[in-house]
Amino acid sequence: EIVMTQSPATLSVSPGERATLSCRASQSVSSNLAWYQQKPGQAPRLLIYGASTRATGIPARFSGSGSGTEFTLTISSLQSEDFAVYYCQQYNNWREYTFGQGTKLEIK
Amino acid sequence: EVQLVESGGGLVQPGRSLRLSCAASGFTFDDYAMHWVRQAPGKGLEWVSGISWNSGSIGYADSVKGRFTISRDNAKNSLYLQMNSLRAEDTALYYCAKGRMGDRRGWFDPWGQGTLVTVSS
């Protein structure tokens, strides 16, 4: 099983600042990586797929990068609605999808 | 607009069975893979199972293999999850999620609002 490790577990950032979230895979997943945002009481929402492609309707302040085992989600200028939990997910192998444990982005 | 509506959750005793359903609308259901993802209370996301457009490819997480069975009825635009031999650790909110076309590996978009399964005596 491919293990996804996200860091940090919690990130405190002020509105307007940049946030950088990391995700590491235990083995290469090429660019088969997605990012999701989840707010309390809501279902997850797809932000990024293919490691760097924004999903439909996702603001340009969200960007993804990386390949292989190291990935980054960057939010360039945090808005109040961006404070949430973020998950990475690898889909390198059918029947073996895994998520990271999540990073909680909180207001500083 | 794509809509996924889960149902069938509830309180069930350990060792018993439950069948979840997901009603899909707003897209050509039989073109897409579908998945179940769960989230235990206060915890992260765990992929449970996925099924390709024609049921030709099916996968399960190790934690549910041999106990859960995924299926779909394309004529009814519906996805199912038969859960047998339920355990306390299966307690979670179960989400239905749309995958990619055919049997291609990929991401989940969108997700339903989930149905809660509680396994307890």
Side-chain angles (χ1 to χ4, degrees):
Chain A
E1 175 183 296
I2 299 175
V3 177
M4 307 301 292
T5 303
Q6 292 185 240
S7 61
T10 303
L11 182 62
S12 300
V13 183
S14 299
E17 292 188 341
R18 173 188 298 257
T20 302
L21 290 67
S22 296
C23 175
R24 174 177 293 178
S26 60
Q27 64 189 76
S28 177
V29 298
S30 186
S31 295
N32 297 313
L33 186 107
W35 290 94
Y36 301 86
Q37 176 193 66
Q38 187 178 34
K39 297 180 180 179
Q42 296 185 16
R45 176 175 73 145
L46 176 70
L47 297 175
I48 301 284
Y49 62 89
S52 61
T53 302
R54 276 190 304 278
T56 302
I58 301 303
R61 64 180 181 272
F62 290 90
S63 63
S65 63
S67 66
T69 62
E70 299 284 343
F71 301 89
T72 300
L73 175 69
T74 301
I75 311 171
S76 59
S77 178
L78 279 164
Q79 308 296 303
S80 57
E81 61 266 29
D82 299 335
F83 292 96
V85 179
Y86 292 83
Y87 294 94
C88 61
Q89 175 231 338
Q90 67 81 17
Y91 50 89
N92 197 55
N93 295 318
W94 230 110
R95 308 181 184 85
E96 213 177 277
Y97 296 158
T98 48
F99 289 89
Q101 81 279 17
T103 290
K104 182 179 180 181
L105 182 57
E106 63 177 29
I107 300 175
K108 187 174 182 181
Chain B
E1 179 194 5
V2 174
Q3 281 203 315
L4 301 170
V5 180
E6 303 93 336
S7 61
L11 175 63
V12 61
Q13 293 179 327
R16 304 297 292 266
S17 299
L18 207 58
R19 189 195 196 207
L20 305 184
S21 299
C22 171
S25 61
F27 66 104
T28 305
F29 181 74
D30 54 12
D31 277 349
Y32 290 86
M34 296 294 296
H35 299 267
W36 290 99
V37 180
R38 68 184 180 184
Q39 186 169 34
K43 303 297 184 182
L45 302 170
E46 180 187 19
W47 176 77
V48 173
S49 183
I51 186 168
S52 64
W53 65 287
N54 64 352
S55 306
S57 294
I58 286 176
Y60 299 97
D62 287 344
S63 58
V64 306
K65 204 170 292 183
R67 300 187 299 123
F68 289 11
T69 302
I70 192 171
S71 62
R72 64 189 295 160
D73 185 336
N74 287 345
K76 295 182 177 179
N77 287 354
S78 293
L79 175 72
Y80 306 102
L81 186 68
Q82 178 67 42
M83 305 187 294
N84 298 333
S85 303
L86 283 162
R87 307 167 179 167
E89 54 265 36
D90 295 319
T91 294
L93 186 63
Y94 284 73
Y95 293 104
C96 165
K98 174 175 163 281
R100 295 187 69 192
M101 288 190 77
D103 61 357
R104 287 188 290 174
R105 58 190 177 182
W107 51 91
F108 309 136
D109 181 45
W111 301 49
Q113 286 303 304
T115 186
L116 182 62
V117 173
T118 304
V119 184
S120 175
S121 55

